[in-house]
Amino acid sequence: MKIWMKYTIGIVIGIMLTLIFPFKSETSLTLLNFCSDLFIHFGRFIILPLLFFTASTAWFTLRDEKRLLRTFLWTAGVIIAASLLLTVFGLITALMIHLPKIPMSIENSTEIPTLNLQELILKLFPYSGFSSILEDSYLLPCFVFAGFAGFAAAAEKNDSKAAVSVFTSFAEICWTILRFFTEIFSIGMIALTCRWLLNFIPLWNSGIFKSLIKMLTVDLLIITFVIYPITLKLTCPEAKILKVLYSCIAPFFTAFITGDSNISYSVNMRHGRESLGIKSELARFSFPMFSIFSRGGSALITTICFIQINRFYSGSYGIPFSDVLWIGASAFLLSFVLAELPVGGAFFAITILCSMKGSGFTAGYLLLKETAPVVCCFAAGIDAVTAMFGNYIIAYKTKLLHSVEIKKFI
């Protein structure tokens, strides 16, 4: 059975359980949260070992074949272009569609998180390189360490033959474990869907944020079925759009239900290799970069939500052009520094934007605090689709793609 079918069955069972069993008692909620957290841990369990061994072999192969610079430039270019496109699209939809004003929040402001760029940079180079493999959610230090290992191995090929052989073997072992985890994760979809619905249903029933949710849903559909297919056809004339869309199903479900970019990274990479036919040396290099840096979905959510906050404080639907540029540029740049936050990055960016704006906006994020679990899932879902389309374009342009029959898709 295809992975997307297993995930769909898990989601349907989760929906039915939520509708039949209300999860109102403290015991049932505790059990549900335990099961959900267990599968989140389960999903992340293999990610760092997988990332280190697969990325190091990818760095080695690309450096050895003199394809590293070209692959890096294509990957960075597609990530930047996609993030810019999503930011602009978020601005356009937020400015064109006037959503109902958000009612005032009675919640008091708590401690506001801050963005510490110096700390993020220092974490790239911990006192011990092995510490980078022990990071819980920040994948960039591990990717950097893997890069040094692979680059050095390519520079000293004769002396590193044994190390490369060991790393390649461990990469294949981790890949086998990943296959098992992605298959079993369908069971976790049941509990994770229940928890997702318990966040969504009260938000929808309140009626306050219905228009925002509808708008994000329409944006998601336009991006997935209009903007990205057109972009793919323009950049890759021979591309099979339906195949790319088909391969997006399981990664999107994973990202949308969990809201976790790290977990969706592993599902994305497996579908990219085994369904789309992206060669392993590229998939092992580009998919981690997308998971770390490609947060255009968060930029889109940030722009839309902050414009709603701005309208609340200004009392008017009109926004000066200079403010529009500031919102877009800030959301775009913030999307590249959310690597430490695989979950909730979009709402963190909204909080930082409110803090940067000042002038009474500092507590503005509280207006949308209730929506955080849901809107961040939209951001993660968009980012998962972006990763699949983006990596296909890179593989096509770098000629690191082979054809896979649709009946052989996982």
Side-chain angles (χ1 to χ4, degrees):
M1 186 183 290
K2 307 292 186 184
I3 291 179
W4 73 267
M5 292 180 181
K6 295 178 182 179
Y7 286 11
T8 302
I9 292 170
I11 291 170
V12 170
I13 293 173
I15 293 171
M16 293 172 62
L17 274 177
T18 308
L19 296 176
I20 297 170
F21 191 72
F23 293 101
K24 290 183 178 179
S25 69
E26 186 175 342
T27 304
S28 62
L29 285 173
T30 302
L31 180 61
L32 176 63
N33 286 326
F34 169 75
C35 292
S36 300
D37 292 338
L38 177 64
F39 276 96
I40 290 292
H41 283 250
F42 183 78
R44 289 186 179 184
F45 181 74
I46 194 61
I47 287 176
L48 283 173
L50 174 76
L51 173 62
F52 177 73
F53 289 114
T54 57
S56 59
T57 55
W59 279 86
F60 170 80
T61 304
L62 292 171
R63 167 77 166 77
D64 186 48
E65 295 177 354
K66 296 181 173 54
R67 291 184 173 188
L68 182 60
L69 180 60
R70 186 164 184 253
T71 302
F72 173 79
L73 291 176
W74 267 109
T75 304
V78 170
I79 288 173
I80 293 170
S83 298
L84 182 60
L85 175 65
L86 290 172
T87 303
V88 172
F89 182 68
L91 283 172
I92 292 172
T93 55
L95 294 172
M96 287 180 58
I97 301 171
H98 295 168
L99 298 179
K101 289 184 181 178
I102 309 165
M104 182 178 292
S105 173
I106 58 173
E107 185 176 349
N108 293 325
S109 177
T110 55
E111 184 179 354
I112 299 173
T114 57
L115 178 63
N116 192 332
L117 289 177
Q118 292 181 351
E119 184 180 347
L120 285 177
I121 294 171
L122 288 174
K123 281 185 176 182
L124 293 181
F125 306 100
Y127 289 112
S128 168
F130 291 107
S131 298
S132 64
I133 309 175
L134 303 176
E135 281 284 347
D136 179 33
S137 56
Y138 193 22
L139 301 184
L140 186 54
C142 182
F143 186 69
V144 171
F145 185 39
F148 278 117
F151 202 90
E156 299 291 341
K157 289 177 64 176
N158 291 330
D159 296 334
S160 62
K161 285 181 179 178
V164 171
S165 177
V166 170
F167 276 35
T168 303
S169 297
F170 273 111
E172 292 305 317
I173 290 170
C174 290
W175 191 257
T176 302
I177 297 172
L178 173 67
R179 284 175 173 167
F180 171 73
F181 277 19
T182 51
E183 298 287 344
I184 297 298
F185 198 72
S186 57
I187 300 172
M189 279 291 184
I190 299 172
L192 291 165
T193 300
C194 291
R195 186 159 74 174
W196 190 91
L197 284 172
L198 291 178
N199 288 321
F200 175 78
I201 292 173
L203 188 69
W204 180 263
N205 289 340
S206 70
I208 299 172
F209 302 105
K210 272 187 179 181
S211 298
L212 176 62
I213 294 170
K214 289 177 182 177
M215 179 180 177
L216 295 180
T217 303
V218 172
D219 282 357
L220 171 64
L221 294 174
I222 292 173
I223 291 164
T224 305
F225 295 105
V226 180
I227 295 177
Y228 281 172
I230 290 174
T231 303
L232 184 64
K233 202 62 181 175
L234 291 175
T235 54
C236 311
E238 297 175 5
K240 305 296 183 183
I241 294 173
L242 289 179
K243 284 188 175 182
V244 182
L245 286 171
Y246 183 53
S247 68
C248 287
I249 298 175
F252 172 77
F253 282 165
T254 306
F256 191 75
I257 296 298
T258 64
D260 193 313
S261 62
N262 285 0
I263 294 177
S264 62
Y265 145 69
S266 57
V267 181
N268 281 353
M269 186 162 69
R270 188 180 172 198
H271 280 77
R273 277 187 63 184
E274 299 184 18
S275 293
L276 289 181
I278 298 172
K279 292 188 177 179
S280 60
E281 58 266 35
L282 173 61
R284 293 171 173 183
F285 178 85
S286 59
F287 274 105
M289 285 192 65
F290 269 82
S291 178
I292 294 166
F293 295 111
S294 182
R295 302 294 182 88
S298 295
L300 179 142
I301 297 297
T302 302
T303 55
I304 291 174
C305 291
F306 189 79
I307 285 175
Q308 304 313 311
I309 294 171
N310 189 89
R311 284 170 173 164
F312 172 85
Y313 280 101
S314 66
S316 138
Y317 283 109
I319 300 176
F321 184 67
S322 59
D323 285 354
V324 172
L325 288 179
W326 179 84
I327 293 169
S330 299
F332 173 72
L333 294 174
L334 280 172
S335 70
F336 295 107
V337 293
L338 300 176
E340 198 176 17
L341 297 167
V343 179
F347 190 72
F348 175 80
I350 294 168
T351 306
I352 297 299
L353 218 57
C354 289
S355 180
M356 290 168 60
K357 183 70 173 176
S359 304
F361 278 76
T362 307
Y365 69 94
L366 293 174
L367 296 170
L368 295 171
K369 188 176 180 180
E370 292 178 55
T371 69
V374 174
V375 298
C376 288
C377 288
F378 276 95
I382 292 171
D383 289 337
V385 176
T386 302
M388 297 303 291
F389 274 89
N391 277 279
Y392 187 89
I393 291 172
I394 297 165
Y396 184 93
K397 293 297 184 181
T398 56
K399 297 184 171 145
L400 291 171
L401 184 71
H402 62 85
S403 179
V404 178
E405 294 180 22
I406 200 163
K407 65 181 180 180
K408 293 183 180 179
F409 278 30
I410 58 174

